[in-house]
Amino acid sequence: TQLLEQSPQFLSIQEGENLTVYCNSSSVFSSLQWYRQEPGEGPVLLVTVVTGGEVKKLKRLTFQFGDARKDSSLHITAAQPGDTGLYLCAGKTSYDKVIFGPGTSLSVIP
Amino acid sequence: NAGVTQTPKFRVLKTGQSMTLLCAQDMNHEYMYWYRQDPGMGLRLIHYSVGEGTTAKGEVPDGYNVSRLKKQNFLLGLESAAPSQTSVYFCASSLTGNSGNTIYFGEGSWLTVV
């Protein structure tokens, strides 16, 4: 069974602080995606990384895919209250299935 | 833009009752999915479909059935609801199953089984 773990599970920080959340697995994924989910809504795609070692930036968010394609990180610079939400990573397996991690719940306090 | 729509949004069922969750997408996507989301467990795939008339089991298929009679619709059925099926259900779709394809989610259906 392929499993994705995310850490930390919960994170509460002050506006303006930096943070990093992690997504780890013992399995190799062909691609990995990050989603953000706000209360009462479905997840929305932020980014897809495909190549080992790949780094993508989306404004204040920086995503990195591990060299071995087993892990990924999301770094947010100068967090804002609008960044509050549940951050989910999702890995694409060799069997064309997408496996989701349990998520990191981020709260940014003004 | 409608995207992925689910109905109903909220439902309370008694143990043993049956119901169907409806999902529709207007993006001409081939792949459709049903997930359930429970606290601390993320999204778990129940069933999915790679095209009209086809369905396949996901991680947690027991107690659920699905049908994809039309490309734009994917129905999730509970034949005999159990309290363990209390959850938030999300329908989703993607153009194909290729890496990098965006999965678009509906807004969720909150189901409580008492």
Side-chain angles (χ1 to χ4, degrees), chain B residues 15-105:
Chain B
T15 297
Q17 285 186 318
S18 63
M19 75 159 295
T20 301
L21 294 174
L22 310 178
C23 177
Q25 52 92 6
D26 61 359
M27 297 172 282
N28 201 34
H29 284 173
E30 291 294 333
Y31 280 54
M32 295 188 74
Y33 316 82
W34 275 106
Y35 290 89
R36 59 178 289 174
Q37 186 173 35
D38 302 289
M41 303 189 74
L43 287 155
R44 292 182 292 169
L45 183 63
I46 304 171
H47 287 279
Y48 65 103
S49 168
V50 302
E52 180 180 318
T54 71
T55 63
K57 294 180 180 180
E59 301 170 69
V60 288
D62 294 343
Y64 305 94
N65 57 75
V66 289
S67 64
R68 182 107 182 262
L69 298 180
K70 293 183 179 180
K71 185 177 184 179
Q72 63 268 33
N73 298 331
F74 196 29
L75 279 59
L76 178 70
L78 285 72
E79 291 187 346
S80 180
S84 61
Q85 294 178 303
T86 293
S87 187
V88 184
Y89 292 85
F90 286 96
C91 178
S93 71
S94 62
L95 185 60
T96 66
N98 291 341
S99 296
N101 273 181
T102 300
I103 300 176
Y104 294 87
F105 286 84

Side-chain angles (χ1 to χ4, degrees), chain A residues 25 27-32 50-53 65-71:
Chain A
S25 176
S27 302
V28 176
F29 293 100
S30 58
S31 66
L32 195 136
V50 179
T51 306
F65 201 13
D67 291 340
R69 290 186 288 131
K70 293 182 178 181
D71 55 86

Side-chain angles (χ1 to χ4, degrees), chain A residues 9-25:
Chain A
Q9 187 177 0
F10 299 98
L11 187 57
S12 181
I13 62 171
Q14 295 289 329
E15 181 177 0
E17 292 184 351
N18 301 332
L19 67 114
T20 303
V21 298
Y22 300 92
C23 174
N24 297 288
S25 176

Side-chain angles (χ1 to χ4, degrees), chain A residues 4 7 12 14 22 29 56 59 66 80 83 98 103 106 110:
Chain A
L4 269 173
S7 60
S12 181
Q14 295 289 329
Y22 300 92
F29 293 100
K56 282 192 174 179
K59 296 184 181 178
Q80 299 177 359
D83 296 327
V98 176
L106 172 64

